[in-house]
Amino acid sequence: MSRSIRIIYRSQQGRIRKNWNWDAITKRSAVLVTAAEWSAGRDPFDAEGRPNLGEANVYVTNIGPHDPEGGSGGVEFYLHVDWDSPLHVQVTITVFDPIEDFRVAE
């Protein structure tokens, strides 16, 4: 089973380190994080709006789920917004069932 949460980050630009604490996530979680430019609805201070497939490159790298560290578990990642001015960004975090196995390969 999977669970998802959607976050709107306002006025983002460049490469930004993010952390989202969520008790559904541990370091054994399989986590997917996606991002897209976001356009507000009629009220720019409301979460009503939609993804906007604009010209900016908006993406996520270095996704790292973590255990509770003095709080709840969560996920760290880098949000990249390649544009010459700040943009609003929609990020979706999806957590799946825990990974089944862990191996080290050469």
Side-chain angles (χ1 to χ4, degrees), residues 12-59:
Q12 303 295 296
Q13 184 179 18
R15 181 178 187 251
I16 312 111
R17 185 177 182 154
K18 298 290 186 183
N19 178 65
W20 188 264
N21 289 329
W22 187 14
D23 61 1
I25 300 174
T26 70
K27 69 179 180 181
R28 293 189 56 86
S29 298
V31 178
L32 174 68
V33 182
T34 62
E37 187 177 339
W38 182 76
S39 292
R42 285 177 273 175
D43 179 355
F45 298 102
D46 187 9
E48 183 181 311
R50 67 177 302 276
N52 172 27
L53 302 180
E55 295 299 315
N57 289 319
V58 177
Y59 58 98

Side-chain angles (χ1 to χ4, degrees), residues 8-12 36-40 44 58 86-90:
I8 304 302
Y9 290 109
R10 297 187 185 276
S11 301
Q12 303 295 296
E37 187 177 339
W38 182 76
S39 292
V58 177
L87 300 174
H88 302 322
V89 176
Q90 172 184 288

